[in-house]
Amino acid sequence: MKEIAIYPGTFDPITNGHIDIIERAATIFNKVIIGVAEETYKECLFTLKERADLVKEGTKHIPNVQVESFSGLAVNYVLKKDSSVMIRGLRAVSDFEYELQIALANRTLAGDVETIFLIPQSKYLYLSSSLVKQIISTGGSIKEYVPKSISDIMAAKFKEKK
Ligand code: ADP
């Protein structure tokens, strides 16, 4: 069994769906490094530091998890960390085409890096960071979707940004 796996993503913000994937990965690998992407094609609500801090807050109960940020290609980051495993989460049908495309492109870029897909509990299959942002921006409650400590931080941050 490989020791270290890398879970890269935007995490804008981390949700219970991401945490579910991280908990699963942490039972399979000795160490899981979460790489919070510096550059992303998505427009982020939270800064890199805020996203990384929220990931740290949401995963502090898992001992073999480490949180970092990275820039550039995710596969290069995986190799830099002496790993050859990239974790991705797979939700409902909509993720499949996109994730397959990325995984195949990554294989072309770095054939030694294997992408492993994990699936969350069914209640998180339709949960996304975008949904959480949409709800909080309209004043709704996100307590079902992120840990309590994170929903408090997010509510405060969102007021600040308004
Ligand atoms: P990216 O911009 O890299 O897609 P995200 O933070 O949106 O970053 O997602 C990171 C990974 O986590 C992706 O593989 C995505 O499919 C997965 N993911 C996001 N939300 C969930 C969820 N609710 N359940 C399982 N996996 C998820």
Side-chain angles (χ1 to χ4, degrees):
M1 175 50 67
K2 306 272 182 174
E3 292 192 356
I4 304 175
I6 312 294
Y7 182 29
T10 308
F11 304 104
D12 184 45
I14 190 168
T15 68
N16 287 339
H18 292 119
I19 295 168
D20 180 298
I21 297 298
I22 296 162
E23 285 169 347
R24 283 171 207 283
T27 65
I28 305 171
F29 297 94
N30 290 337
K31 185 171 169 185
V32 177
I33 302 178
I34 307 172
V36 182
E38 196 172 308
E39 304 104 2
T40 157
Y41 65 94
K42 297 171 182 169
E43 207 186 308
C44 288
L45 174 64
F46 294 97
T47 65
L48 176 65
K49 183 171 184 312
E50 286 170 340
R51 287 183 281 130
D53 285 348
L54 290 174
V55 173
K56 280 182 196 150
E57 179 60 36
T59 57
K60 64 182 184 203
H61 62 291
I62 319 169
N64 54 334
V65 163
Q66 189 179 314
V67 183
E68 295 184 350
S69 55
F70 76 98
S71 64
L73 283 173
V75 276
N76 288 347
Y77 175 61
V78 173
L79 294 171
K80 201 173 126 197
K81 301 312 288 183
D82 286 330
S83 173
S84 58
V85 178
M86 187 188 296
I87 302 288
R88 296 288 287 176
L90 212 50
R91 287 166 291 185
V93 192
S94 56
D95 267 345
F96 185 73
E97 289 275 321
Y98 172 75
E99 291 292 341
L100 188 65
Q101 194 181 15
I102 297 285
L104 290 175
N106 282 337
R107 183 175 283 167
T108 306
L109 289 163
D112 292 341
V113 174
E114 207 58 64
T115 304
I116 294 188
F117 292 104
L118 297 175
I119 50 170
Q121 294 175 63
S122 51
K123 65 179 175 181
Y124 299 139
L125 277 181
Y126 292 95
L127 173 56
S128 66
S129 299
S130 313
L131 179 73
V132 167
K133 284 185 278 192
Q134 230 170 306
I135 295 173
I136 200 156
S137 68
T138 48
S141 166
I142 53 166
K143 70 176 197 314
E144 296 296 319
Y145 306 125
V146 300
K148 164 98 178 77
S149 57
I150 294 190
S151 69
D152 292 346
I153 297 169
M154 275 190 72
K157 286 259 188 311
F158 199 80
K159 264 192 197 145
E160 221 175 80
K161 283 183 192 257
K162 256 185 158 179

